[in-house]
Amino acid sequence: MSSPQQNTSMAIVPRFFSSPQMFSLVPRDKFLSSAYDPAVQDAWATCGAESHWVPYFVLAMLPFLVRFVQSVRRYRDSKLPSHLINAGKYGMGMVYYFCYYIWRRDGETDGGASFILWCLSAVIYALYGCAWDFAMDWSICKPRAQYPFLRRELVYTSQIPLYYVAAVTNFLIRFLWVFYIPSWPYFNIRSFISGLLEMLRRVVWNFYRLENEHLGNMDQYRITREVPLPYSFDNPQHEDDDDEEDKV
């Protein structure tokens, strides 16, 4: 049997750890689904057709919609504004993918309006997501830290440069949407490279997200058996010595 503290810790990890993995698969859903079409010769011609874009958009929205509802519900229960900010991130993700599919469907007939809207939403979503990664998921960029732009407590103390490499690569790969702007004939290769980079970013993200969760559990005494009491014990030996002095 496990203690309540252990149950709480075990319940937190799957909630924050499993859902983000689905977001890294969203840009690949369309490409992977096309691979099972026996008539596919040109991946974009098949998957990007107007009659096919709605199912892929709905499939891409599911992870964002689930996390959006969870964040709103957590705000309702806790009244913490950070949950609303988190919900805004997932809402912006839905807007981004909506604009992306609109651009792919109507980009050649609307005079570039959908392209501009998609680029604007992509920049906002990339900055939003990256800021949340740094400030909340990794808890870096803290003031008065021993290492600039990191946090005071670190687990991988022997690999300090990797923190900076992870932060820079996370920022750059967040802007991977730029990779879809050029009109390349090799759609399969472009999708493979972008998918590989996004999976790499997610693997690195997992390491530092788990580190931050571990440190948070330690700060809240979720993974310790000794919880400090709100009062201190007096030393009985010291009290006996005082009583003897008073008698003398």
Side-chain angles (χ1 to χ4, degrees):
M1 297 181 66
S2 59
S3 64
Q5 290 82 358
Q6 292 173 333
N7 289 335
T8 301
S9 180
M10 292 174 63
I12 289 175
V13 172
R15 182 175 60 203
F16 81 81
F17 188 77
S18 58
S19 297
Q21 316 307 314
M22 298 300 298
F23 302 139
S24 295
L25 296 177
V26 167
R28 267 56 61 191
D29 289 340
K30 171 170 54 56
F31 175 68
L32 293 176
S33 300
S34 298
Y36 293 96
D37 190 341
V40 63
Q41 297 295 330
D42 184 350
W44 179 247
T46 301
C47 299
E50 182 178 352
S51 59
H52 294 160
W53 81 278
V54 175
Y56 297 120
F57 170 73
V58 174
L59 181 63
M61 290 303 100
L62 286 179
F64 291 92
L65 183 60
V66 170
R67 290 295 289 138
F68 178 83
V69 174
Q70 288 178 345
S71 299
V72 172
R73 182 176 179 181
R74 293 188 68 186
Y75 171 75
R76 185 194 64 182
D77 296 337
S78 64
K79 302 303 181 183
L80 294 177
S82 59
H83 296 309
L84 274 185
I85 299 175
N86 198 23
K89 182 187 69 171
Y90 298 118
M92 193 64 224
M94 290 188 284
V95 172
Y96 161 72
Y97 280 106
F98 177 76
C99 295
Y100 171 76
Y101 285 109
I102 289 293
W103 169 53
R104 283 304 189 184
R105 191 191 68 169
D106 303 331
E108 297 181 356
T109 59
D110 62 358
S114 60
F115 175 74
I116 296 175
L117 188 62
W118 171 63
C119 289
L120 181 61
S121 63
V123 171
I124 296 175
Y125 177 59
L127 294 175
Y128 203 151
C130 194
W132 184 268
D133 289 341
F134 292 164
M136 303 300 295
D137 288 340
W138 292 359
S139 295
I140 60 176
C141 300
K142 298 295 184 181
R144 296 185 296 276
Q146 181 180 0
Y147 301 97
F149 304 108
L150 298 184
R151 71 173 82 91
R152 298 179 183 178
E153 297 180 356
L154 301 173
V155 173
Y156 310 113
T157 53
S158 61
Q159 305 292 336
I160 298 301
L162 292 183
Y163 284 91
Y164 297 100
V165 173
V168 173
T169 55
N170 184 82
F171 178 82
L172 293 178
I173 297 177
R174 280 285 186 178
F175 284 86
L176 196 63
W177 56 270
V178 179
F179 204 45
Y180 285 90
I181 294 179
S183 179
W184 291 1
Y186 303 104
F187 176 80
N188 294 353
I189 298 177
R190 179 171 57 177
S191 297
F192 174 78
I193 295 175
S194 62
L196 187 63
L197 291 175
E198 174 59 25
M199 286 188 288
L200 176 63
R201 186 194 73 84
R202 183 59 64 183
V203 169
V204 175
W205 180 93
N206 288 337
F207 277 98
Y208 297 105
R209 181 65 181 92
L210 285 173
E211 177 200 31
N212 187 38
E213 184 68 17
H214 170 71
L215 295 174
N217 287 339
M218 292 179 61
D219 291 339
Q220 300 179 29
Y221 303 103
R222 291 173 177 166
I223 56 174
T224 181
R225 295 182 179 180
E226 297 180 358
V227 179
L229 297 175
Y231 54 87
S232 59
F233 285 102
D234 294 330
N235 191 346
Q237 181 69 26
H238 182 69
E239 291 183 353
D240 294 340
D241 293 341
D242 292 342
D243 292 341
E244 292 180 358
E245 291 179 0
D246 292 340
K247 291 180 181 179
V248 174

